[in-house]
Amino acid sequence: MKILVTGGCGFIGSHIVDAYIKLGHEVIIADKRQANLLPYKNPSASYFQINLTKSKEINKLIEDEKPDVINHHAANISVTNSLEKPLNDANNITSVINLLEAAKKYKVKKIIFASSAGAIYSEDKTLPFTEKTQPFPITPYGVSKLAGEYYIKAYSKICGIKYVILRYSNVYGPRQNNKNKSVISIFIENIINGKRLTINNNGDQTRDFIFVSDLVYANVLALKYDINNCFNISSQTETSIKDLSKKIKGMFNSEIKIKYKKMKSIEQNRSYISNKKALKELKWKPKVTLKQGLIETVKWYERNFKN
Ligand SMILES: NC(=O)c1ccc[n+]([C@@H]2O[C@H](COP(=O)([O-])OP(=O)(O)OC[C@H]3O[C@@H](n4cnc5c(N)ncnc54)[C@H](O)[C@@H]3O)[C@@H](O)[C@H]2O)c1
């Protein structure tokens, strides 16, 4: 199969590229980043430095390469930036429309879309969040992800393109040292650099962490899954930020101090995301426990960032 992975130079996209190549697929990548500087550039993939907001460029790539499937992971992902510069997130929407227009013109069969469970569910009255929970994004980033889902569903009606939407919870793992680090990568980096950890408020807020290889497996299954559908991809396990900090400190036997910072924030208090539908219908299952995933992530940081 010929697959276009957008955002294939990024944290999650690069792991998906490796997995698809390993399975024998032909992979092309569209990313606005320079691939040559990537330490994990895959020599068997073809890289195209393209900004998806430029319709001509992405149109030409799809016309020339004619992929069977688009796996769409390119996006501005920073919630902080999203609140400061909300127009940047409009680029996420423009990118989806440009891709879908080209897909319609050149008859791409399927699109797999990286959406965000953490960003589109926001009311924590009925937990865990399921795919039936009414989405209510409270950041421009979340709105852009949900809008992407709706555009994909609309284009599926318009031109028949098939889709699988994957709503990820909080993803972590090796290679996550982008500008938009997760709390896990920030804690690990701080401990390695001897800096204290800062936790917002009392640290009782929870997140649902999912290791990147589990997510990659969902993207592999999505290639063969033949029904238009949307799945939460999560561990369905709540971990408080306070507990997380203890776990990571424990792995380093670190005595490093934690500063609890009182702040007004729009962040969710609890994030607990059901994965039952993916288990039943996609036949997916998370395999990596938080403990195992943290060990892998710490090893990667130590290999790459410890002097
Ligand atoms: N990291 C998470 O916890 C998480 C959770 C839910 C959903 N997601 C989604 O997964 C996807 C990948 O996230 P990530 O953590 O790997 O982020 P990342 O920042 O590491 O990767 C995103 C990649 O997209 C590229 N990109 C951004 N805008 C582009 C554009 N207009 N044109 C071309 N390339 C562009 C960037 O250069 C980068 O290489 C995103 O769509 C994000 O919304 C991530």
Side-chain angles (χ1 to χ4, degrees):
M1 210 181 277
K2 189 166 186 175
I3 308 166
L4 167 63
V5 179
T6 74
C9 295
F11 160 49
I12 300 169
S14 67
H15 285 283
I16 293 169
V17 168
D18 291 350
Y20 284 174
I21 294 270
K22 214 168 163 187
L23 287 169
H25 297 295
E26 187 180 347
V27 176
I28 53 173
I29 292 154
D31 197 298
K32 64 181 180 185
R33 275 164 80 181
Q34 255 269 29
N36 285 342
L37 303 174
L38 284 183
Y40 45 78
K41 184 178 173 193
N42 191 310
S44 304
S46 308
Y47 288 81
F48 297 87
Q49 192 177 7
I50 285 178
N51 191 328
L52 296 175
T53 57
K54 310 257 189 279
S55 62
K56 266 194 187 153
E57 293 177 24
I58 190 62
N59 215 56
K60 182 163 184 336
L61 181 72
I62 293 182
E63 180 182 15
D64 291 348
E65 297 292 333
K66 302 219 169 36
D68 302 297
V69 175
I70 296 173
N71 181 304
H72 182 39
H73 273 72
N76 296 318
I77 69 156
S78 162
V79 173
T80 317
N81 281 352
S82 166
L83 293 165
E84 284 164 8
K85 294 181 184 165
L87 272 180
N88 278 352
D89 295 306
N91 288 338
N92 291 346
I93 301 174
T94 308
S95 299
V96 173
I97 298 172
N98 284 342
L99 274 173
L100 288 166
E101 271 298 298
K104 180 175 84 173
K105 203 161 167 192
Y106 301 108
K107 301 191 172 33
V108 177
K109 295 185 192 83
K110 185 190 233 175
I111 183 161
I112 299 168
F113 178 57
S115 187
S116 170
I120 70 167
Y121 304 124
S122 62
E123 296 291 331
D124 55 359
K125 286 179 197 136
T126 44
L127 288 165
F129 299 124
T130 74
E131 292 80 352
K132 288 192 176 142
T133 302
Q134 178 69 40
F136 196 122
I138 51 168
T139 61
Y141 167 70
V143 172
S144 78
K145 287 276 123 181
L146 187 58
E149 292 191 10
Y150 281 125
Y151 272 105
I152 287 168
K153 288 177 184 172
Y155 270 76
S156 182
K157 290 277 179 212
I158 294 166
C159 66
I161 188 167
K162 295 212 153 156
Y163 66 83
V164 178
I165 293 165
L166 301 173
R167 292 178 175 167
Y168 306 148
S169 60
N170 286 73
V171 192
Y172 71 101
R175 300 183 187 166
Q176 191 174 35
N177 66 333
N178 50 19
K179 279 181 273 169
N180 316 300
K181 295 182 178 101
S182 72
V183 60
I184 291 181
S185 37
I186 293 171
F187 283 174
I188 295 174
E189 271 187 40
N190 279 17
I191 294 176
I192 287 177
N193 294 318
K195 286 190 198 160
R196 74 176 170 192
L197 312 184
T198 305
I199 291 180
N200 294 346
N201 302 317
N202 60 9
D204 285 339
Q205 63 274 31
T206 65
R207 292 292 175 267
D208 182 326
F209 295 105
I210 183 86
F211 190 64
V212 67
S213 65
D214 282 327
L215 211 85
V216 169
Y217 183 46
N219 279 272
V220 167
L221 293 175
L223 284 179
K224 283 203 182 149
Y225 187 80
D226 215 26
I227 303 165
N228 295 332
N229 221 332
C230 170
F231 299 104
N232 290 339
I233 301 295
S234 68
S235 62
Q236 203 179 305
T237 308
E238 278 182 285
T239 304
S240 78
I241 301 301
K242 203 197 288 170
D243 277 353
L244 178 74
S245 67
K246 282 187 196 147
K247 281 191 173 68
I248 298 178
K249 274 178 65 173
M251 293 170 71
F252 288 90
N253 287 324
S254 164
E255 293 297 323
I256 225 142
K257 292 230 156 36
I258 295 182
K259 183 185 171 200
Y260 289 90
K261 194 168 106 189
K262 237 185 157 61
M263 64 182 287
K264 236 183 159 178
S265 157
I266 62 158
E267 72 175 348
Q268 277 173 5
N269 195 33
R270 289 178 66 191
S271 186
Y272 177 30
I273 294 153
S274 167
N275 61 21
K276 280 210 175 89
K277 186 178 171 191
L279 260 67
K280 192 165 172 248
E281 295 179 38
L282 189 61
K283 311 288 179 214
W284 170 85
K285 202 175 172 191
K287 293 178 182 150
V288 184
T289 63
L290 183 59
K291 191 173 175 193
Q292 292 164 332
L294 287 176
I295 291 171
E296 287 302 307
T297 310
V298 166
K299 270 194 212 155
W300 182 81
Y301 269 95
E302 290 190 318
R303 268 200 311 275
N304 288 280
F305 299 100
K306 211 170 178 181
N307 297 322

